[in-house]
Amino acid sequence: MPRNAEQRQELERRVAAIQGWYHAIDLGDGVVTPGPFCMAEYVREYELPDDMSGMRALDVGCGNGFFALDLEKRGADEVVAVDVPSWTAKDWSPAYARDWVATRSAAERDAIDQRSLRAAFELAVGAAGQGRVRREEVSIYDLDPDRHGTFDLVLCASMLMHVRDPVLALHRMRAVCRDDGVLVISISSPPNLGDADGEPLARFVGSARQCNFWQMSPACLRDMLQCCGFAPIGEGRRFVLADRPVEAVQAALRDAPGPVDAAAVPGSGEFRDPHYMCHARAVSSA
Ligand SMILES: C[S@@+](CC[C@H](N)C(=O)[O-])C[C@H]1O[C@@H](n2cnc3c(N)ncnc32)[C@H](O)[C@@H]1O
């Protein structure tokens, strides 16, 4: 049922009260969360099943919840969305963890956790969800079939570069992926990295002040997937992940809810990482 003017204003007020949105999410009735990353522009690249009824899905590194909501819209019976239990639990570089993260007060850390990890997701899923998305606070390293069960589809979008140990991360995702399940994963994979000769190359892109670690060639991801018990079944095409000016994204989603035409929305130019993304699909192998 459409919201009345008062309900819409209240939703807009709650959205505006949260700082640091990541995803632009269409909450309906013209309300769009002010995040610079408009995944409606990229979701088609993931080739997710149109009809996910009967499926249990896992969104790893869910952020504000765009993909969890998308999996639910496709009819998944249950979507479990996981992200780190706290901002400090990210794989920060040792220098950053020591000099900045560890020197924040407990109150500052709580505020970041509440705002950027929990409140935005809860608001988005509360406003646009259908009741089948559940969020859990757990690092990718701690995914556990005894605790989380197993899944027909595991989605790991734009997050593998944030872990220092991608092999362990893939291994943990394999542990929660059913034997006939599918992993859909995107990685940072610039075309100049080992493409020509099919070398399984990883490039360290960490710096002292972040939690970005690895870019990989498609062959590197393929070999890591095999090493972790996945049988790669194909590569998606590369796409360039760019942030967008928030107002332009909001206008595009308001005018035409659904997939967004990237050409119609200019990039902001602020996100400068060479984030050419390659996406791969893998089925579990025994
Ligand atoms: C670049 S965002 C991607 C968000 C979303 N998956 C997407 O594609 O738009 C990376 C997300 O991974 C989460 N993340 C980082 N390290 C993680 C870890 N060790 N375990 C689980 N999530 C993690 C971050 O908190 C963040 O929400």
Side-chain angles (χ1 to χ4, degrees), residues 174-219:
R174 174 63 187 91
V176 294
C177 193
R178 292 190 175 149
D179 286 345
D180 57 353
V182 177
L183 169 72
V184 178
I185 185 165
S186 64
I187 58 166
S188 177
S189 181
N192 61 359
L193 185 64
D195 269 17
D197 40 14
E199 283 284 298
L201 297 181
R203 175 189 287 150
F204 181 68
V205 289
S207 88
R209 293 190 56 78
Q210 52 172 255
C211 56
N212 277 348
F213 292 97
W214 302 106
Q215 293 175 333
M216 295 174 201
S217 68

Short mmCIF file of all heavy atoms in Angstrom, two decimals, residues 174-219:
data_model
loop_
_atom_site.label_atom_id
_atom_site.label_comp_id
_atom_site.label_asym_id
_atom_site.label_seq_id
_atom_site.Cartn_x
_atom_site.Cartn_y
_atom_site.Cartn_z
N ARG A 174 32.50 -21.84 1.01
CA ARG A 174 32.22 -23.20 0.53
C ARG A 174 31.55 -24.03 1.63
O ARG A 174 30.66 -24.84 1.37
CB ARG A 174 33.53 -23.88 0.08
CG ARG A 174 33.38 -25.34 -0.30
CD ARG A 174 32.45 -25.52 -1.49
NE ARG A 174 32.17 -26.93 -1.77
CZ ARG A 174 31.15 -27.62 -1.26
NH1 ARG A 174 30.27 -27.03 -0.46
NH2 ARG A 174 30.97 -28.89 -1.59
N ALA A 175 31.96 -23.78 2.87
CA ALA A 175 31.40 -24.56 3.98
C ALA A 175 29.90 -24.32 4.15
O ALA A 175 29.18 -25.19 4.63
CB ALA A 175 32.13 -24.20 5.29
N VAL A 176 29.43 -23.14 3.75
CA VAL A 176 27.99 -22.86 3.91
C VAL A 176 27.23 -22.94 2.58
O VAL A 176 26.04 -22.63 2.53
CB VAL A 176 27.75 -21.48 4.57
CG1 VAL A 176 28.24 -21.47 6.01
CG2 VAL A 176 28.37 -20.35 3.77
N CYS A 177 27.92 -23.33 1.52
CA CYS A 177 27.27 -23.47 0.21
C CYS A 177 26.88 -24.95 0.03
O CYS A 177 27.71 -25.84 0.24
CB CYS A 177 28.24 -23.03 -0.88
SG CYS A 177 27.47 -22.80 -2.49
N ARG A 178 25.63 -25.20 -0.32
CA ARG A 178 25.21 -26.59 -0.50
C ARG A 178 26.01 -27.26 -1.61
O ARG A 178 26.53 -26.59 -2.50
CB ARG A 178 23.72 -26.63 -0.85
CG ARG A 178 22.90 -26.19 0.34
CD ARG A 178 21.42 -26.40 0.20
NE ARG A 178 20.83 -26.02 1.48
CZ ARG A 178 19.63 -25.50 1.64
NH1 ARG A 178 18.84 -25.32 0.61
NH2 ARG A 178 19.21 -25.17 2.84
N ASP A 179 26.06 -28.57 -1.59
CA ASP A 179 26.86 -29.29 -2.59
C ASP A 179 26.35 -29.01 -4.00
O ASP A 179 27.12 -29.06 -4.95
CB ASP A 179 26.85 -30.79 -2.30
CG ASP A 179 27.74 -31.11 -1.10
OD1 ASP A 179 28.54 -30.23 -0.70
OD2 ASP A 179 27.62 -32.22 -0.54
N ASP A 180 25.06 -28.74 -4.14
CA ASP A 180 24.55 -28.36 -5.46
C ASP A 180 24.28 -26.85 -5.52
O ASP A 180 23.53 -26.37 -6.37
CB ASP A 180 23.27 -29.14 -5.80
CG ASP A 180 22.18 -28.92 -4.75
OD1 ASP A 180 22.47 -28.28 -3.71
OD2 ASP A 180 21.04 -29.39 -4.96
N GLY A 181 24.91 -26.12 -4.61
CA GLY A 181 24.69 -24.68 -4.55
C GLY A 181 25.60 -23.90 -5.47
O GLY A 181 26.51 -24.45 -6.09
N VAL A 182 25.34 -22.60 -5.54
CA VAL A 182 26.09 -21.72 -6.44
C VAL A 182 26.67 -20.56 -5.64
O VAL A 182 26.00 -19.99 -4.78
CB VAL A 182 25.15 -21.15 -7.54
CG1 VAL A 182 25.89 -20.17 -8.44
CG2 VAL A 182 24.55 -22.27 -8.37
N LEU A 183 27.91 -20.23 -5.96
CA LEU A 183 28.52 -19.01 -5.44
C LEU A 183 28.59 -18.01 -6.59
O LEU A 183 29.05 -18.33 -7.68
CB LEU A 183 29.94 -19.29 -4.95
CG LEU A 183 30.79 -18.06 -4.62
CD1 LEU A 183 30.32 -17.40 -3.33
CD2 LEU A 183 32.27 -18.44 -4.51
N VAL A 184 28.11 -16.81 -6.36
CA VAL A 184 28.24 -15.73 -7.34
C VAL A 184 29.13 -14.68 -6.71
O VAL A 184 28.83 -14.19 -5.61
CB VAL A 184 26.86 -15.13 -7.70
CG1 VAL A 184 27.03 -13.98 -8.69
CG2 VAL A 184 25.95 -16.19 -8.28
N ILE A 185 30.21 -14.37 -7.37
CA ILE A 185 31.22 -13.54 -6.72
C ILE A 185 31.77 -12.50 -7.69
O ILE A 185 31.96 -12.79 -8.86
CB ILE A 185 32.35 -14.43 -6.15
CG1 ILE A 185 33.36 -13.61 -5.37
CG2 ILE A 185 33.03 -15.25 -7.23
CD1 ILE A 185 34.28 -14.48 -4.50
N SER A 186 31.99 -11.30 -7.20
CA SER A 186 32.69 -10.30 -8.02
C SER A 186 33.95 -9.89 -7.30
O SER A 186 33.99 -9.83 -6.07
CB SER A 186 31.79 -9.09 -8.29
OG SER A 186 31.48 -8.41 -7.11
N ILE A 187 34.97 -9.62 -8.08
CA ILE A 187 36.26 -9.25 -7.52
C ILE A 187 36.78 -8.03 -8.25
O ILE A 187 36.30 -7.67 -9.32
CB ILE A 187 37.30 -10.39 -7.66
CG1 ILE A 187 37.46 -10.78 -9.14
CG2 ILE A 187 36.92 -11.58 -6.81
CD1 ILE A 187 38.68 -11.64 -9.42
N SER A 188 37.79 -7.43 -7.68
CA SER A 188 38.49 -6.35 -8.36
C SER A 188 39.51 -6.99 -9.29
O SER A 188 40.41 -7.69 -8.84
CB SER A 188 39.18 -5.47 -7.32
OG SER A 188 39.90 -4.46 -7.96
N SER A 189 39.36 -6.76 -10.60
CA SER A 189 40.19 -7.47 -11.57
C SER A 189 40.52 -6.59 -12.77
O SER A 189 39.86 -6.66 -13.79
CB SER A 189 39.45 -8.74 -12.03
OG SER A 189 40.22 -9.47 -12.94
N PRO A 190 41.52 -5.73 -12.64
CA PRO A 190 41.87 -4.86 -13.76
C PRO A 190 42.36 -5.68 -14.96
O PRO A 190 43.05 -6.68 -14.77
CB PRO A 190 42.98 -3.97 -13.22
CG PRO A 190 43.23 -4.38 -11.83
CD PRO A 190 42.41 -5.57 -11.49
N PRO A 191 41.99 -5.28 -16.17
CA PRO A 191 42.31 -6.10 -17.34
C PRO A 191 43.80 -6.25 -17.62
O PRO A 191 44.19 -7.15 -18.33
CB PRO A 191 41.61 -5.37 -18.49
CG PRO A 191 41.14 -4.09 -17.97
CD PRO A 191 41.17 -4.10 -16.49
N ASN A 192 44.62 -5.40 -17.03
CA ASN A 192 46.06 -5.53 -17.30
C ASN A 192 46.73 -6.53 -16.36
O ASN A 192 47.95 -6.64 -16.32
CB ASN A 192 46.77 -4.17 -17.19
CG ASN A 192 46.64 -3.58 -15.79
OD1 ASN A 192 46.02 -4.17 -14.93
ND2 ASN A 192 47.23 -2.41 -15.59
N LEU A 193 45.93 -7.24 -15.59
CA LEU A 193 46.52 -8.16 -14.62
C LEU A 193 46.43 -9.60 -15.12
O LEU A 193 45.45 -10.30 -14.88
CB LEU A 193 45.79 -8.01 -13.27
CG LEU A 193 46.34 -8.81 -12.09
CD1 LEU A 193 47.76 -8.37 -11.74
CD2 LEU A 193 45.45 -8.62 -10.88
N GLY A 194 47.45 -10.05 -15.80
CA GLY A 194 47.57 -11.46 -16.15
C GLY A 194 46.57 -11.99 -17.15
O GLY A 194 46.48 -13.19 -17.36
N ASP A 195 45.81 -11.10 -17.81
CA ASP A 195 44.79 -11.59 -18.74
C ASP A 195 45.40 -12.24 -19.97
O ASP A 195 44.98 -13.31 -20.40
CB ASP A 195 43.90 -10.44 -19.21
CG ASP A 195 42.70 -10.28 -18.31
OD1 ASP A 195 42.74 -10.83 -17.19
OD2 ASP A 195 41.74 -9.62 -18.73
N ALA A 196 46.42 -11.57 -20.52
CA ALA A 196 46.93 -11.98 -21.83
C ALA A 196 47.43 -13.42 -21.80
O ALA A 196 47.14 -14.21 -22.68
CB ALA A 196 48.04 -11.04 -22.26
N ASP A 197 48.16 -13.77 -20.76
CA ASP A 197 48.72 -15.12 -20.73
C ASP A 197 47.99 -16.04 -19.74
O ASP A 197 48.47 -17.13 -19.43
CB ASP A 197 50.22 -15.04 -20.40
CG ASP A 197 50.50 -14.00 -19.34
OD1 ASP A 197 49.51 -13.56 -18.72
OD2 ASP A 197 51.66 -13.63 -19.14
N GLY A 198 46.85 -15.60 -19.24
CA GLY A 198 46.05 -16.47 -18.36
C GLY A 198 46.75 -16.85 -17.08
O GLY A 198 46.50 -17.90 -16.50
N GLU A 199 47.64 -15.99 -16.62
CA GLU A 199 48.38 -16.30 -15.38
C GLU A 199 47.50 -16.09 -14.15
O GLU A 199 46.74 -15.12 -14.09
CB GLU A 199 49.58 -15.34 -15.26
CG GLU A 199 50.76 -15.69 -16.14
CD GLU A 199 51.53 -16.87 -15.59
OE1 GLU A 199 52.06 -16.78 -14.49
OE2 GLU A 199 51.56 -17.91 -16.29
N PRO A 200 47.62 -16.96 -13.16
CA PRO A 200 46.83 -16.78 -11.93
C PRO A 200 47.51 -15.78 -10.99
O PRO A 200 48.14 -16.15 -10.01
CB PRO A 200 46.81 -18.19 -11.33
CG PRO A 200 48.05 -18.84 -11.82
CD PRO A 200 48.37 -18.23 -13.17
N LEU A 201 47.36 -14.49 -11.31
CA LEU A 201 48.09 -13.46 -10.57
C LEU A 201 47.20 -12.71 -9.60
O LEU A 201 46.05 -12.37 -9.91
CB LEU A 201 48.68 -12.43 -11.55
CG LEU A 201 49.72 -12.95 -12.54
CD1 LEU A 201 50.22 -11.79 -13.41
CD2 LEU A 201 50.88 -13.60 -11.80
N ALA A 202 47.76 -12.42 -8.43
CA ALA A 202 47.11 -11.51 -7.47
C ALA A 202 48.06 -10.34 -7.25
O ALA A 202 49.27 -10.52 -7.20
CB ALA A 202 46.83 -12.23 -6.16
N ARG A 203 47.48 -9.15 -7.16
CA ARG A 203 48.31 -7.96 -6.93
C ARG A 203 47.91 -7.36 -5.58
O ARG A 203 46.73 -7.15 -5.31
CB ARG A 203 48.05 -6.94 -8.03
CG ARG A 203 48.76 -5.62 -7.80
CD ARG A 203 48.30 -4.57 -8.79
NE ARG A 203 48.81 -4.82 -10.13
CZ ARG A 203 48.16 -4.48 -11.25
NH1 ARG A 203 46.99 -3.91 -11.19
NH2 ARG A 203 48.69 -4.73 -12.43
N PHE A 204 48.92 -7.11 -4.76
CA PHE A 204 48.65 -6.51 -3.45
C PHE A 204 48.39 -5.02 -3.64
O PHE A 204 49.22 -4.31 -4.21
CB PHE A 204 49.85 -6.73 -2.53
CG PHE A 204 49.63 -6.15 -1.16
CD1 PHE A 204 48.69 -6.71 -0.30
CD2 PHE A 204 50.35 -5.05 -0.74
CE1 PHE A 204 48.48 -6.17 0.96
CE2 PHE A 204 50.14 -4.51 0.52
CZ PHE A 204 49.20 -5.07 1.38
N VAL A 205 47.23 -4.55 -3.21
CA VAL A 205 46.89 -3.13 -3.35
C VAL A 205 46.59 -2.50 -1.99
O VAL A 205 45.90 -1.50 -1.88
CB VAL A 205 45.69 -2.92 -4.31
CG1 VAL A 205 46.09 -3.19 -5.73
CG2 VAL A 205 44.49 -3.79 -3.91
N GLY A 206 47.11 -3.16 -0.96
CA GLY A 206 46.89 -2.62 0.39
C GLY A 206 47.68 -1.35 0.60
O GLY A 206 48.74 -1.15 0.02
N SER A 207 47.14 -0.48 1.41
CA SER A 207 47.94 0.65 1.84
C SER A 207 47.75 0.73 3.34
O SER A 207 46.91 0.04 3.91
CB SER A 207 47.51 1.95 1.17
OG SER A 207 46.49 2.55 1.92
N ALA A 208 48.52 1.59 3.96
CA ALA A 208 48.50 1.63 5.42
C ALA A 208 47.14 2.06 5.98
O ALA A 208 46.83 1.80 7.12
CB ALA A 208 49.59 2.59 5.91
N ARG A 209 46.30 2.71 5.17
CA ARG A 209 45.11 3.33 5.75
C ARG A 209 43.80 2.71 5.26
O ARG A 209 42.80 3.41 5.09
CB ARG A 209 45.12 4.82 5.43
CG ARG A 209 46.23 5.57 6.14
CD ARG A 209 46.05 7.06 6.01
NE ARG A 209 44.76 7.52 6.50
CZ ARG A 209 44.46 7.67 7.79
NH1 ARG A 209 45.34 7.40 8.71
NH2 ARG A 209 43.27 8.08 8.14
N GLN A 210 43.78 1.46 5.00
CA GLN A 210 42.52 0.91 4.49
C GLN A 210 42.43 -0.59 4.74
O GLN A 210 43.31 -1.21 5.33
CB GLN A 210 42.41 1.20 3.01
CG GLN A 210 43.64 0.75 2.25
CD GLN A 210 43.50 0.84 0.76
OE1 GLN A 210 43.34 -0.17 0.14
NE2 GLN A 210 43.57 2.04 0.19
N CYS A 211 41.33 -1.16 4.26
CA CYS A 211 41.23 -2.62 4.29
C CYS A 211 40.93 -3.12 2.89
O CYS A 211 39.99 -3.86 2.67
CB CYS A 211 40.20 -3.10 5.31
SG CYS A 211 38.55 -2.46 5.10
N ASN A 212 41.72 -2.68 1.94
CA ASN A 212 41.72 -3.25 0.59
C ASN A 212 43.02 -4.03 0.47
O ASN A 212 44.07 -3.51 0.85
CB ASN A 212 41.73 -2.16 -0.48
CG ASN A 212 40.35 -1.62 -0.76
OD1 ASN A 212 39.36 -2.19 -0.32
ND2 ASN A 212 40.28 -0.52 -1.47
N PHE A 213 42.94 -5.22 -0.08
CA PHE A 213 44.17 -6.01 -0.14
C PHE A 213 44.53 -6.50 -1.54
O PHE A 213 45.62 -6.26 -2.01
CB PHE A 213 44.09 -7.20 0.83
CG PHE A 213 44.10 -6.76 2.27
CD1 PHE A 213 42.93 -6.63 2.98
CD2 PHE A 213 45.29 -6.45 2.91
CE1 PHE A 213 42.93 -6.21 4.30
CE2 PHE A 213 45.31 -6.03 4.23
CZ PHE A 213 44.14 -5.91 4.93
N TRP A 214 43.59 -7.19 -2.20
CA TRP A 214 44.00 -7.94 -3.39
C TRP A 214 43.15 -7.63 -4.61
O TRP A 214 41.93 -7.60 -4.52
CB TRP A 214 43.90 -9.46 -3.12
CG TRP A 214 44.70 -9.93 -1.98
CD1 TRP A 214 44.24 -10.29 -0.74
CD2 TRP A 214 46.12 -10.10 -1.92
NE1 TRP A 214 45.28 -10.66 0.06
CE2 TRP A 214 46.45 -10.55 -0.64
CE3 TRP A 214 47.14 -9.91 -2.86
CZ2 TRP A 214 47.76 -10.81 -0.24
CZ3 TRP A 214 48.45 -10.16 -2.48
CH2 TRP A 214 48.74 -10.62 -1.17
N GLN A 215 43.83 -7.47 -5.74
CA GLN A 215 43.18 -7.58 -7.04
C GLN A 215 43.62 -8.93 -7.62
O GLN A 215 44.72 -9.39 -7.30
CB GLN A 215 43.64 -6.46 -7.97
CG GLN A 215 43.18 -5.09 -7.50
CD GLN A 215 43.74 -3.98 -8.36
OE1 GLN A 215 44.80 -4.12 -8.96
NE2 GLN A 215 43.04 -2.87 -8.41
N MET A 216 42.78 -9.50 -8.43
CA MET A 216 43.12 -10.83 -8.96
C MET A 216 42.81 -10.92 -10.44
O MET A 216 41.84 -10.32 -10.91
CB MET A 216 42.27 -11.91 -8.27
CG MET A 216 42.54 -12.07 -6.83
SD MET A 216 41.33 -13.24 -6.18
CE MET A 216 41.42 -12.78 -4.46
N SER A 217 43.60 -11.72 -11.12
CA SER A 217 43.25 -12.03 -12.51
C SER A 217 42.13 -13.09 -12.48
O SER A 217 41.98 -13.81 -11.49
CB SER A 217 44.47 -12.58 -13.26
OG SER A 217 44.82 -13.85 -12.75
N PRO A 218 41.36 -13.18 -13.56
CA PRO A 218 40.31 -14.22 -13.61
C PRO A 218 40.88 -15.62 -13.34
O PRO A 218 40.26 -16.43 -12.65
CB PRO A 218 39.75 -14.10 -15.02
CG PRO A 218 39.99 -12.67 -15.40
CD PRO A 218 41.31 -12.30 -14.75
N ALA A 219 42.09 -15.91 -13.87
CA ALA A 219 42.68 -17.24 -13.65
C ALA A 219 43.01 -17.45 -12.18
O ALA A 219 42.91 -18.57 -11.65
CB ALA A 219 43.94 -17.40 -14.51
#
